[in-house]
Amino acid sequence: MTTDPSPGYKALELYNKGANPDKATDVWAMGITILEVLVGARAWEEKEMIQLKPGVKVPELLTLRKRPGILKQLTIKGSKDLVVNCLQWESKDRITSIKVNALLRSILK
């Protein structure tokens, strides 16, 4: 049995049996990645992971519908809004990758 190599980047819905990744789940992963790049730290620490079942770990805060604590460290104007819009709990509420691109361009000018 192998362990999932990227539990810290998976959207909450991907932990449901039979869920399939789509563009919205990619936006979640992109939001986590943007957060980590801008802050310079991992969104979820290994000690924050819990075992759902053998070989499946998940950030405990994610199961509680709480976003990563490092979110408060974002200091670039507009960056917190960008990441929060990527990390919406319902996939239908997440922004599109096109919108992510536009917001990133405006933030990094």
Side-chain angles (χ1 to χ4, degrees):
M1 176 178 298
T2 60
T3 301
D4 184 350
S6 56
Y9 299 91
K10 290 173 73 171
L12 184 60
E13 66 268 14
L14 290 179
Y15 289 98
N16 295 327
K17 189 174 183 171
N20 293 312
D22 60 14
K23 290 180 181 180
T25 57
D26 290 344
V27 168
W28 177 281
M30 192 178 336
I32 294 291
T33 303
I34 291 167
L35 173 62
E36 291 182 349
V37 168
L38 293 178
V39 172
R42 298 290 307 245
W44 313 103
E45 296 294 328
E46 182 63 32
K47 66 183 177 194
E48 297 174 313
M49 301 294 209
I50 59 171
Q51 193 86 21
L52 282 183
K53 57 185 177 182
V56 179
K57 286 186 173 183
V58 62
E60 183 174 23
L61 290 176
L62 187 61
T63 66
L64 302 171
R65 288 189 171 238
K66 293 185 179 183
R67 293 183 182 92
I70 67 166
L71 192 60
K72 64 182 174 269
Q73 295 178 34
L74 288 173
T75 57
I76 299 169
K77 184 179 179 182
S79 61
K80 186 172 182 180
D81 287 338
L82 166 61
V83 172
V84 168
N85 281 307
C86 291
L87 303 183
Q88 291 298 307
W89 300 117
E90 300 299 325
S91 62
K92 66 178 177 50
D93 296 333
R94 292 183 201 131
I95 61 176
T96 66
S97 58
I98 293 168
K99 184 70 173 173
V100 171
N101 180 282
L103 290 172
L104 267 177
R105 286 176 183 266
S106 69
I107 289 169
L108 299 176
K109 279 186 178 178

